[in-house]
Amino acid sequence: MITLVSGTNRPNSWTRKVLDVYKNQLDKKGIDCQIFDLMEISDGFLHLDMYDNKVKEFVELEKNILFPTTKFIFVIPEYNGSFPGILKLVIDGSDIKNAFHHKKAALVGVSDGRAGNLRGMDDLTNVLNHMKINVLHCKIPVSSVSKQFDENGQFISAETLKLIDQQIDLLVAM
């Protein structure tokens, strides 16, 4: 199972819009996938003993989403030159061995700047490699993300869409 991870809990984010482009492409290819949007994480997840006494909702999330996933596509926005802390918090609060060990991942960086979150993808690659995740070499930086969509919210970059299709094919073949 491929899980698309929207790496922010910010409402109405460009990250989620890019993730939806991926979902659409996976659907067109007939590839089974699911979405894990960090907007779904409740405020109760963050508490002082979250590592030992997980909230029931997070235990269910691990069981239903993280554990069955074999491949991830992380769509991550740039937050202060890296990736959002909420994503790191979810990783840190997880049962790392069952949720992440020996799985595969593709990375997509999202930024309204010119670098497409290259640093954030490097940072997340290091974290994922530490957790024994094989990260696909083909990483896609989506720069100037607000210019990648038209006024109706449609993705308009044919060049980026071609790269997305190539990345998906490479991930599926891993």
Side-chain angles (χ1 to χ4, degrees), residues 68-84:
T69 295
T70 57
K71 298 177 182 181
F72 293 95
I73 298 175
F74 289 93
V75 183
I76 56 168
E78 179 182 349
Y79 278 28
N80 301 310
S82 190
F83 63 93

Side-chain angles (χ1 to χ4, degrees), residues 18-30:
V18 171
L19 182 139
D20 289 339
V21 172
Y22 270 81
K23 173 75 166 105
N24 186 45
Q25 294 307 108
L26 286 161
D27 288 346
K28 283 181 182 178
K29 292 174 178 279

Side-chain angles (χ1 to χ4, degrees), residues 65-135:
I65 295 179
L66 297 178
F67 294 171
T69 295
T70 57
K71 298 177 182 181
F72 293 95
I73 298 175
F74 289 93
V75 183
I76 56 168
E78 179 182 349
Y79 278 28
N80 301 310
S82 190
F83 63 93
I86 186 69
L87 178 56
K88 183 67 164 77
L89 184 64
V90 167
I91 291 168
D92 290 346
S94 297
D95 174 345
I96 299 298
K97 184 176 182 181
N98 289 313
F100 298 110
H101 275 196
H102 308 294
K103 297 185 180 184
K104 317 277 192 264
L107 304 184
V108 185
V110 176
S111 172
D112 216 17
R114 62 186 175 147
N117 198 17
L118 291 172
R119 286 185 193 146
M121 287 192 289
D122 286 346
D123 289 348
L124 184 56
T125 297
N126 289 332
V127 170
L128 296 176
N129 285 161
H130 181 77
M131 296 186 311
K132 303 177 183 176
I133 292 180
N134 187 357
V135 179

